[in-house]
């Protein structure tokens, strides 16, 4: 197995100087501006129309830029952002319970196990309040207190209530707000939305992003799009594990093709395992269903104290139950961060105390909350979530505890970006979950929506102008030879995968990859397993390119072809994730190395050697990537062992 080169980080993260609390204000005051009459000369491509993409496209169109937005679904309203249920964080402090921008910043840094940049995280906390105001103005129906102010609920990793919500449909409602702003710009002619179209390559000229190659998913036509800047807003890559809470269409292809064109991929192994998912029910299941973390406000997590206790949960008396999160973490109880809750669920199941037929589940029990507040109050808070659970499991959670188990959810890694959200490819920006910048090694619940909207509404409108002032508008069009080369490369790849005519389905390969990833690059990792994973994924990738069967034709609607290209990229990504995890022998956040834990079994960081961002540079499919390290400097928070006890 090749060992990746390690180099000194040579890219400028563009973090402003001065006090942390003044950095973003100072930066906004100093960025160069594009005057209104010149904005209409610039063309911008926005790839992805979830919260980050829709908000960015709407904001840039409102400013006067010409925007073309790409959506692989039939409507921007079907972006995976709608699946976020529980809420969005902001430091409004309506409850007067001690919240502040600084506390939100600190909770986010601590929750990410001190593996994120201070400046980026503080900016995120700082603009959070603006997001709520923006969304209220758009008509997002947040829950409200009796007096009319917006209601909040608690989420893991915080001791204040700062999570704004719209029942269990927060992501959907926020996306509808962004979508309405987007459609306003479409109606004005400043934004064009291209639905059912997938980016397959980034076009660069002299190392600078100048457009994309896309495939029309209905006709199969390969199309060229030139622009002065490209914004990647394509979400995360959790589906590399095959089973995840992500929509089946969620993929890494757009980001991965940018990585191949020179964009560094940062912290790829930082994967969030969500503790509150409906457990796997069978070998042929296609995806997993998330139950919102908000349920842990009122639901109590427990397992039987005795191993192998298969009694009905309602028959197990109180004294024979282990409310293990409340026992181990008395300060935070059931609201510990996701990585902590997930590892503890795995631990009790490994001890033989898991519940359900598989033994890979724990109970989330609402009996006490119903007794305390009444069924109507619980129904008002979580009714649609309870209905969804009952439809999937045929069990009534008002009468029987829910069964939950951890599952792959969010990816903290992504394309490396500087403070302006620009990647190492000039002119290519990455927003939301597609970049690595704000969550470190573990995302706190309700912060994904916050980052997507912060980047789209309040960051990129400033920072993209700073870049465009140095760019001549329309300098490159689709007749440039770089577009010829990129289109020929994509066409050749499509022909190659269609002509293999092997014996195994695409699903076979994706399932095999997912099993390797979950078993060896999942909730728990060790050196031997990671080395085995690298070898096994490499062998599986070679087998894919010699024995996969992809039916159909290229110039038509072909879901098999779409899927094959995405799985091909997942096979390369999986190997990089295992490499990244192997190179980081410490435990931090969602990255848990068995060799690095405290006597109590908690994650143990190595701040002396690993307080850095790992950024990987592509050198070829069968070649080891170059490993770059961006040091993380903490001037405002003290690095301490995380404790939620």
């Amino acid at each position: 197995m090749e060992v990746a080169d390690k180099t000194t980080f040579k890219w400028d993260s563009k973090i402003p100087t001065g006090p942390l609390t003044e950095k973003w204000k100072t930066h906004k005051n100093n960025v160069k501006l594009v005057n209104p009459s010149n904005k209409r000369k610039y063309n911008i491509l926005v790839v992805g129309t979830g919260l980050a993409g829709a908000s960015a496209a709407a904001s840039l169109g409102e400013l006067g830029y010409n925007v073309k937005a790409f959506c692989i679904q039939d409507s921007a309203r079907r972006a995976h952002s709608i699946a976020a249920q529980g809420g969005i964080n902001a430091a409004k402090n309506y409850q007067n319970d001690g919240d502040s921008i600084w506390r939100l910043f600190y909770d986010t840094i601590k929750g990410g196990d001190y593996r994120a940049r201070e400046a980026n995280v503080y900016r995120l906390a700082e603009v959070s309040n603006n997001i709520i105001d923006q969304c209220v103005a758009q008509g997002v129906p947040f829950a409200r207190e009796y007096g009319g102010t917006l209601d909040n609920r608690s989420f893991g990793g915080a001791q204040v209530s700062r999570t704004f919500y719209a029942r269990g449909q927060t992501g959907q409602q926020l996306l509808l707000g962004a979508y309405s702003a987007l459609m306003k710009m479409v109606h004005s002619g400043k934004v064009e939305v291209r639905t059912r179209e997938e980016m397959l390559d980034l076009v660069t000229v002299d190392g600078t992003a100048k457009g994309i190659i896309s495939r029309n998913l209905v006709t199969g036509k390969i199309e060229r799009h030139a622009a002065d800047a490209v914004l990647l807003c394509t979400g995360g890559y959790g589906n590399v594990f095959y089973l995840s809470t992500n929509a089946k269409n969620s993929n890494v292809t757009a980001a991965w093709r940018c990585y191949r064109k020179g964009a560094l991929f940062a912290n790829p192994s930082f994967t969030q395992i969500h503790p509150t998912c409906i457990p796997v029910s069978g070998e042929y299941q296609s995806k997993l269903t998330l139950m919102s973390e908000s349920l842990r406000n009122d639901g109590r997590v427990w397992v039987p104290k005795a191993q192998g206790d298969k009694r009905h949960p309602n028959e197990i008396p109180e004294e024979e139950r282990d409310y293990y999160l409340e026992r181990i973490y008395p300060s935070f109880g059931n609201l510990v961060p996701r990585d902590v809750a997930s590892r503890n669920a795995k631990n009790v199941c490994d001890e033989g105390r898991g519940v359900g037929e598989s033994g890979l589940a724990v109970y989330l029990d609402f009996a006490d909350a119903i007794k305390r507040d009444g069924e109507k109050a619980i129904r008002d808070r979580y009714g649609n979530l309870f209905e969804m659970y009952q439809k999937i499991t045929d069990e009534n959670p008002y009468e029987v505890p829910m069964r939950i188990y951890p599952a792959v959810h969010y990816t903290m890694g992504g394309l490396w970006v500087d403070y302006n959200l620009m990647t190492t490819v000039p002119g290519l920006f990455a927003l939301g979950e597609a970049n690595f910048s704000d969550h470190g090694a573990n995302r706190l619940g309700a912060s994904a929506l916050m980052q997507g909207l912060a980047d789209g509404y309040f960051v990129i409108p400033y920072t993209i102008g700073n870049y465009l002032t140095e760019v001549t508008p329309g300098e490159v069009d689709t007749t440039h030879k770089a577009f010829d080369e990129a289109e020929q490369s994509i066409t050749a790849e499509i022909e190659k995968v269609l002509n293999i005519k092997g014996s195994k389905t695409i699903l076979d390969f994706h399932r095999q990859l997912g099993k390797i990833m979950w078993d060896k690059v999942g909730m728990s990792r060790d050196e031997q397993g990671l080395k085995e994973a690298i070898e096994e994924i490499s062998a599986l990738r070679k087998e894919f390119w010699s024995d996969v069967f992809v039916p159909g034709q290229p110039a038509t609607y072909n879901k098999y072809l779409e899927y094959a290209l995405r799985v091909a990229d997942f096979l390369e990504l999986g190997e990089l994730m295992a490499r990244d995890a192997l190179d980081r022998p410490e435990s931090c956040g969602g990255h848990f190395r068995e060799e690095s834990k405290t006597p109590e079994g908690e994650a143990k960081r190595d701040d002396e050697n690993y307080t850095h961002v790992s950024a990987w540079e592509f050198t070829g499919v069968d070649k080891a990537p170059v490993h770059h390290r961006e040091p993380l400097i903490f001037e405002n928070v003290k690095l301490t062992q995380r404790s939620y006890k």
Side-chain angles (χ1 to χ4, degrees):
M1 183 184 68
E2 289 183 279
V3 177
D5 294 328
K6 296 179 182 178
T7 68
T8 303
F9 200 78
K10 62 178 183 285
W11 285 274
D12 183 2
S13 57
K14 302 283 197 309
I15 296 173
T17 57
L20 181 68
T21 56
E22 299 295 320
K23 286 183 186 293
W24 179 230
K25 187 187 301 181
T26 301
H27 194 60
K28 287 192 294 183
N29 289 338
N30 291 330
V31 294
K32 298 174 183 175
L33 301 177
V34 180
N35 79 56
S37 61
N38 283 341
K39 284 174 183 170
R40 65 177 67 102
K41 300 176 184 177
Y42 288 100
N43 295 306
I44 300 170
L45 304 182
V46 178
V47 185
T49 53
L51 285 178
S55 60
S59 299
L60 295 175
E62 195 77 55
L63 287 172
Y65 295 107
N66 304 306
V67 180
K68 195 183 289 185
F70 295 81
C71 171
I72 62 173
Q73 301 90 356
D74 57 354
S75 166
R77 289 175 297 176
R78 290 174 62 85
H80 184 59
S81 301
I82 65 169
Q85 302 159 336
I88 177 171
N89 288 331
K92 285 287 194 182
N93 194 32
Y94 285 149
Q95 277 69 25
N96 200 28
D97 58 358
D99 202 9
S100 65
I101 289 171
W102 182 267
R103 195 175 293 276
L104 174 54
F105 155 72
Y106 179 76
D107 287 346
T108 307
I109 282 279
K110 176 184 175 183
D113 223 349
Y114 307 96
R115 291 296 177 260
R117 292 185 193 134
E118 281 189 336
N120 287 69
V121 177
Y122 190 85
R123 176 174 66 186
L124 178 64
E126 186 178 355
V127 304
S128 66
N129 292 342
N130 296 337
I131 296 170
I132 303 303
D133 295 339
Q134 171 92 358
C135 294
V136 169
Q138 290 172 339
V140 173
F142 288 119
R144 292 182 179 268
E145 296 278 12
Y146 177 76
T149 56
L150 300 184
D151 196 11
N152 285 146
R153 56 188 174 202
S154 300
F155 256 56
Q159 291 180 307
V160 296
S161 292
R162 64 162 66 102
T163 303
F164 296 78
Y165 64 98
R167 293 191 75 190
Q169 304 172 359
T170 312
Q172 184 177 36
Q173 297 302 327
L174 291 171
L175 185 61
L176 287 173
Y179 178 77
S180 65
L182 177 63
M183 288 301 104
K184 177 191 173 193
M185 287 296 98
V186 170
H187 184 70
S188 74
K190 295 306 294 181
V191 176
E192 176 190 356
V193 176
R194 305 285 293 238
T195 60
R196 303 302 297 274
E197 198 156 332
E198 181 170 22
M199 172 181 165
L200 292 182
D201 206 2
L202 177 72
V203 179
T204 60
V205 177
D206 297 327
T208 300
K210 289 298 179 183
I212 67 170
I213 301 294
S214 67
R215 180 175 180 271
N216 185 305
L217 298 179
V218 176
T219 67
K221 183 182 178 183
I222 303 299
E223 302 189 354
R224 305 177 178 193
H225 306 275
D228 301 299
V230 177
L231 274 58
L232 201 76
C233 310
T234 52
Y237 47 87
N239 277 345
V240 68
F241 288 85
Y242 179 64
L243 283 179
S244 83
T245 65
N246 290 193
K248 288 300 289 181
N249 267 342
S250 298
N251 64 85
V252 77
T253 289
W256 195 252
R257 302 310 170 95
C258 294
Y259 166 66
R260 283 177 156 218
K261 284 294 179 75
L264 298 191
F265 211 108
N267 297 338
S269 68
F270 284 177
T271 305
Q272 181 164 80
I273 312 292
H274 197 295
T276 317
C277 301
I278 296 178
V280 176
S281 59
E283 188 177 341
Y284 292 97
Q285 192 166 341
S286 62
K287 76 176 299 293
L288 296 171
T289 303
L290 172 70
M291 299 308 296
S292 169
E293 183 178 317
S294 64
L295 294 170
R296 290 198 277 146
N297 272 283
D298 289 298
R300 299 181 70 192
V301 179
W302 66 273
V303 292
K305 288 183 177 178
Q307 294 181 352
D309 190 338
K310 296 300 181 183
R311 285 178 292 173
H312 190 281
N314 293 350
E315 296 176 358
I316 301 176
E318 195 74 13
E319 62 272 12
E320 295 180 35
R321 300 179 178 188
D322 180 13
Y323 295 91
Y324 58 89
L325 292 179
E326 298 172 33
R327 171 174 55 83
I328 302 171
Y329 307 99
S331 292
F332 282 73
N334 295 299
L335 287 173
V336 292
R338 291 173 177 178
D339 61 318
V340 177
S342 294
R343 278 197 299 276
N344 278 275
K346 179 181 184 297
N347 290 343
V348 295
C349 290
D350 288 347
E351 292 169 3
R353 297 194 288 141
V355 301
E357 289 184 18
S358 67
L360 293 176
V362 300
Y363 289 128
L364 184 62
D365 195 338
F366 291 86
D368 286 352
I370 291 171
K371 185 177 179 180
R372 181 186 68 234
D373 299 334
E375 184 176 317
K376 184 182 183 302
I378 299 303
R379 196 177 291 276
D380 288 344
R381 288 175 206 155
Y382 312 113
N384 59 313
L385 298 173
F386 277 45
E387 290 167 15
M388 182 169 67
Y389 181 87
Q390 186 165 5
K391 285 179 180 178
I392 292 171
T393 66
D394 197 28
E395 295 175 2
N396 184 351
Y398 293 104
E399 299 174 356
V400 181
M402 288 183 179
R403 288 174 294 106
I404 58 168
Y405 194 69
V408 172
H409 181 51
Y410 187 91
T411 49
M412 284 76 68
L415 296 185
W416 183 92
V417 293
D418 62 19
Y419 191 71
N420 294 321
L421 304 184
M422 190 157 73
T423 70
T424 49
V425 176
L428 174 66
F429 297 78
L431 284 64
E433 193 179 357
N435 75 36
F436 86 101
S437 65
D438 291 10
H439 305 298
N442 176 60
R443 178 177 68 84
L444 289 186
S447 289
L449 306 183
M450 179 170 63
Q451 188 205 348
L453 293 179
D455 288 354
Y457 283 139
F458 298 110
V459 179
I460 200 66
Y462 287 94
T463 61
I464 198 169
N466 194 58
Y467 167 75
L468 291 174
T469 57
E470 306 295 327
V471 174
T472 303
E475 197 171 24
V476 173
D477 62 26
T478 55
T479 63
H480 193 282
K481 66 178 182 179
F483 281 88
D484 295 334
E485 293 167 358
E487 182 175 341
Q488 289 165 10
S489 174
I490 291 301
T491 302
E493 183 183 8
I494 289 172
E495 290 176 357
K496 180 181 177 182
V497 78
L498 286 171
N499 289 331
I500 294 170
K501 305 297 183 187
S503 64
K504 293 177 67 173
T505 69
I506 310 158
L507 193 61
D508 289 335
F509 284 100
H510 197 183
R511 255 200 210 108
Q512 274 186 266
L513 173 63
K515 180 167 175 50
I516 296 169
M517 294 297 295
W518 180 249
D519 289 347
K520 297 176 180 178
V521 200
M523 262 199 285
S524 178
R525 305 159 179 182
D526 60 46
E527 182 178 359
Q528 181 181 344
L530 291 167
K531 288 180 176 177
E532 290 172 356
I534 293 169
E535 301 294 345
E536 290 170 14
I537 295 169
S538 178
L540 187 64
R541 178 170 48 79
K542 290 169 184 171
E543 185 184 359
F544 174 91
W545 285 106
S546 65
D547 198 28
V548 72
F549 177 67
V550 184
Q553 301 299 318
T556 185
Y557 177 78
N558 189 339
K559 289 296 291 184
Y560 297 105
L561 177 58
E562 284 176 47
Y563 189 27
L565 296 175
R566 294 169 188 171
V567 170
D569 292 332
F570 279 142
L571 284 162
E572 293 181 21
L573 168 67
E575 190 174 336
L576 183 66
M577 291 172 69
R579 282 184 182 276
D580 186 53
L582 180 63
D583 187 76
R584 191 179 283 270
E586 67 165 355
S587 290
C588 55
H591 167 62
F592 192 78
R593 283 288 294 267
E594 289 293 341
E595 302 92 336
S596 184
K597 54 189 176 183
T598 66
E600 296 81 22
E602 305 288 352
K604 183 180 180 182
R605 295 194 318 272
D606 179 354
D607 292 332
E608 184 177 347
N609 297 302
Y610 293 96
T611 307
H612 65 255
V613 174
S614 286
W616 299 85
E617 181 182 1
F618 181 74
T619 60
V621 174
D622 291 310
K623 298 178 181 177
V626 177
H627 181 206
H628 304 272
R629 295 182 170 191
E630 177 196 356
L632 290 171
I633 300 169
F634 292 93
E635 299 174 328
N636 299 275
V637 298
K638 183 180 179 183
L639 297 180
T640 59
Q641 178 66 36
R642 279 197 311 167
S643 175
Y644 294 94
K645 296 183 177 182

